[in-house]
Amino acid sequence: MLVNTSPQLVQRTEVPAVPPLLGPGAVLGRLRGHERGPVHIIDPFKVPQAEAVEKAKILDDLGCPALILASTDYESFESRMDPYVAAIKEVSSLPVLLHFPPRKGLGFPLARGADAVILPALLGSRDDYYVWKSYLETLVNLPGRVDREDWPELLLTVALTFGEDPKTGDLLGTVPVATTSSEQIDRYIAVTRSFGFHMVYLYSRYAQVPVDVVSRFRRQLHPDQILFVSGNVRRREHVTAYLEAGADYVGFAGALEHVDWRSTLAEITADRP
């Protein structure tokens, strides 16, 4: 008597489709092809919506490449962010990029109407969730969270912190990049190139990213890999120094968190190279 011992497929599991990660989308193409310069970062959990809308209109008129909404801390994300993004998109043609840390069990937060999400791989984190697992969790949960037509573009990003930053360290397990030698920096650059990340995001909360570090990244990165620098950029000379070192975009946030932000914005964006 013959017994069929071949395994039988009795149930087909449908795996939901997810956005293509490595193909260049509209936002990535814009960032790669746009004039290099400053990019404003707005913390929507600190900046009132009306103020953000006014800033977005001015930034659009200035021909900036994009607007980034970012914060380390956030609560009630969707209820705050969905109308916030909608109000900005109503008055501005700028792509809106989200840059927020992931939450375990959900992944990176999403807001309807956002054009892209910066997905930071924190290579310097002691917690592998923030290095790579958050990517997978986001992809698994994405189809059930947002309608297919509303999926944002995903920008795969190496994110590194410089200088003491206990706030980010406590929340995300990050350890500041050592700058006393180039060994660790070169290792991070090699990972960035090998895995084909779209972008590198260098950040310092309380100090500034060293200019020579920016130059070293630019020399070794692939020409299509975008180099973004931010942290305590408050004057045009800071922007110029990073651009001359090879940064593609220089982010500024706190520089406009005061009453006379219009004058500061005019100074930071003046005479763009």
Side-chain angles (χ1 to χ4, degrees), residues 29-44:
R30 178 180 173 90
L31 293 177
R32 284 175 171 169
H34 199 278
E35 179 185 6
R36 299 160 59 237
V39 174
H40 186 38
I41 304 166
I42 294 177
D43 184 340

Side-chain angles (χ1 to χ4, degrees), residues 234-256:
R234 300 187 179 276
R235 298 190 297 275
R236 178 66 208 188
E237 63 191 71
H238 297 152
V239 175
T240 301
Y242 284 134
L243 292 178
E244 290 179 348
D248 293 297
Y249 299 109
V250 182
F252 61 102
L256 299 193

Side-chain angles (χ1 to χ4, degrees), residues 121-132 159-161 168-169 171-176 188:
L122 304 179
L123 299 188
S125 176
R126 297 182 296 267
D127 188 335
D128 58 6
Y129 176 81
Y130 299 107
V131 178
W132 64 274
L160 301 169
T161 60
T168 306
L171 181 64
L172 306 174
T174 55
V175 177
Y188 288 149

Side-chain angles (χ1 to χ4, degrees), residues 7 27 47 56 84 91 100 110 121 130 142 157 162 180 193 219 227:
V27 175
V47 177
Y84 203 98
V91 302
F100 297 86
L110 304 173
Y130 299 107
L142 184 58
T157 304
F162 293 79
T180 53
R193 286 183 59 95
R219 286 197 301 270
L227 182 54

Side-chain angles (χ1 to χ4, degrees), residues 14-168:
E14 295 294 337
V15 179
V18 297
L21 292 181
L22 298 180
V27 175
L28 182 59
R30 178 180 173 90
L31 293 177
R32 284 175 171 169
H34 199 278
E35 179 185 6
R36 299 160 59 237
V39 174
H40 186 38
I41 304 166
I42 294 177
D43 184 340
F45 293 86
K46 291 171 61 177
V47 177
Q49 180 176 298
E51 181 178 321
V53 167
E54 184 179 355
K55 289 176 177 176
K57 289 164 59 178
I58 297 174
L59 293 164
D60 199 353
D61 291 340
L62 289 170
C64 293
L67 175 64
I68 297 178
L69 302 181
S71 180
T72 302
D73 307 306
Y74 57 88
E75 295 294 338
S76 304
F77 189 87
E78 287 80 6
S79 61
R80 173 69 172 176
M81 291 298 299
D82 285 3
Y84 203 98
V85 172
I88 289 174
K89 297 294 290 184
E90 187 175 347
V91 302
S92 168
S93 65
L94 293 181
V96 173
L97 282 58
L98 305 182
H99 188 193
F100 297 86
R103 294 278 173 88
K104 292 182 178 180
L106 184 64
F108 290 93
L110 304 173
R112 294 187 183 280
D115 298 283
V117 179
I118 296 173
L119 300 185
L122 304 179
L123 299 188
S125 176
R126 297 182 296 267
D127 188 335
D128 58 6
Y129 176 81
Y130 299 107
V131 178
W132 64 274
K133 289 182 179 178
S134 55
Y135 274 44
L136 299 184
E137 190 169 58
T138 302
L139 292 179
V140 168
N141 292 324
L142 184 58
R145 294 169 61 190
V146 182
D147 294 337
R148 175 65 182 86
E149 60 271 17
D150 295 327
W151 281 352
E153 194 172 326
L154 305 180
L155 303 178
L156 305 185
T157 304
V158 165
L160 301 169
T161 60
F162 293 79
E164 292 302 316
D165 186 354
K167 181 174 183 178
T168 306

Side-chain angles (χ1 to χ4, degrees), residues 1-5:
M1 179 177 180
L2 297 177
V3 178
N4 185 355
T5 59

